[in-house]
Amino acid sequence: MRIVLCCAAGMSTSMLVNKMQSAAQGRGLTIDIKAVPVAEFERILPDADVVLLGPQVNFEAARLTAIAEPQGKAVAVIDMMDYGMMRGEQVLDTALALHAS
């Protein structure tokens, strides 16, 4: 499974990626997780199973979902509290639930 987190510049989300990877390893899951700037969305989409958007780019959610849906890709905005508190476990749960649906 490949999860991509998109935020304004891809920097703040890198810390969350580390927390998510630790959570996945703790569960014995092999998941590729990376962070990119939202400007890279269309380039990374073919390689992503799930794309999670940082709350700071919530305004892009409708446009990016419209691009992703025809390709069968799930897009969701990360909960603001989970993002702010760097709750890797909860964000991983969100991604896994999106992938399963």
Side-chain angles (χ1 to χ4, degrees):
M1 180 176 170
R2 294 164 307 215
I3 303 169
V4 177
L5 279 61
C6 291
C7 69
M11 295 305 218
S12 57
T13 312
S14 296
M15 292 184 291
L16 185 55
V17 165
N18 291 336
K19 300 255 183 186
M20 292 174 69
Q21 287 174 330
S22 292
Q25 288 173 346
R27 298 179 190 187
L29 302 173
T30 304
I31 300 176
D32 179 33
I33 309 169
K34 64 181 172 182
V36 298
V38 72
E40 299 286 320
F41 179 84
E42 291 185 61
R43 184 186 65 75
I44 59 89
L45 187 60
D47 296 325
D49 295 310
V50 174
V51 179
L52 298 177
L53 305 177
Q56 68 273 39
V57 293
N58 184 30
F59 67 94
E60 292 274 30
R63 182 180 74 84
L64 300 178
T65 298
I67 294 168
E69 277 184 347
Q71 297 183 40
K73 308 290 180 157
V75 176
V77 177
I78 300 168
D79 178 83
M80 191 178 302
M81 288 300 292
D82 289 343
Y83 187 89
M85 301 295 290
M86 293 285 148
R87 296 178 182 148
E89 291 273 349
Q90 286 86 338
V91 178
L92 180 61
D93 288 342
T94 298
L96 293 172
L98 277 172
H99 190 296
S101 61

